[in-house]
Amino acid sequence: MDTSQQYKFNFVHEFDQIKIKSIEMLYEDRKIEFRELSHILLTDKAIKSTPRWKEFVLNFCLDVEDVFKTWSGQIPASVNSSQKSLTILQQLGHDKASMNQLAHTLNMSYNLSLEFKEIYRRLK
């Protein structure tokens, strides 16, 4: 199972109407960020063939936030946290010319995650 299938699989199980509305509201405000991350994480073919690519991107962003909590010592490291961290850095760092570009995509992912959680909290 490749990463895109794994993220899609994980996200589908915890879906409800409030999450769907939250994603749509976030997407309205952050289309550029979603598009930029989707082109980093997925191929053009995968974007066209995956109707729920926004959910995939958001799930990745939630993973970035989760990994940051491990990096910053907010939560203890799990057995898979090293692999998850490396995978995230490899996916976001591909074709980047500097650490600043990588940090920009990490920040963008982290911020999308926080904004989604805030929208979701307010709608709930």
Side-chain angles (χ1 to χ4, degrees):
M1 176 184 300
D2 70 13
T3 349
S4 64
Q5 292 171 334
Q6 178 185 0
Y7 284 121
K8 186 169 41 171
F9 178 77
N10 288 341
F11 203 79
V12 168
H13 288 298
E14 17 178 298
F15 233 57
D16 62 29
Q17 291 301 318
I18 297 172
K19 286 184 181 177
I20 293 170
K21 180 141 178 79
S22 300
I23 291 169
E24 291 305 319
M25 289 176 71
L26 180 61
Y27 181 70
E28 281 302 311
D29 289 340
R30 301 285 182 229
K31 285 180 186 174
I32 294 169
E33 289 88 345
F34 268 91
R35 290 281 179 194
E36 187 177 334
L37 285 171
S38 70
H39 288 295
I40 292 169
L41 300 171
L42 301 165
T43 63
D44 288 335
K45 182 180 176 183
I47 293 169
K48 290 176 184 169
S49 66
T50 307
R52 300 176 85 165
W53 65 269
K54 291 180 252 184
E55 290 89 342
F56 174 83
V57 170
L58 179 61
N59 198 49
F60 181 86
C61 294
L62 293 168
D63 280 345
V64 168
E65 181 189 359
D66 189 45
V67 168
F68 174 74
K69 288 178 182 175
T70 303
W71 293 342
S72 63
Q74 296 173 32
I75 60 173
S78 69
V79 174
N80 297 329
S81 56
S82 319
Q83 184 64 36
K84 196 175 195 180
S85 296
L86 183 58
T87 301
I88 287 171
L89 291 174
Q90 285 177 326
Q91 287 179 314
L92 293 181
H94 186 70
D95 289 337
K96 299 292 182 279
S98 70
M99 283 296 290
N100 287 334
Q101 290 176 345
L102 175 60
H104 170 72
T105 55
L106 280 169
N107 285 331
M108 186 174 19
S109 301
Y110 182 78
N111 289 334
L112 282 175
S113 175
L114 293 179
E115 287 181 36
F116 168 76
K117 286 183 175 181
E118 183 60 26
I119 292 169
Y120 182 76
R121 184 188 64 76
R122 288 181 182 186
L123 290 177
K124 203 170 182 184

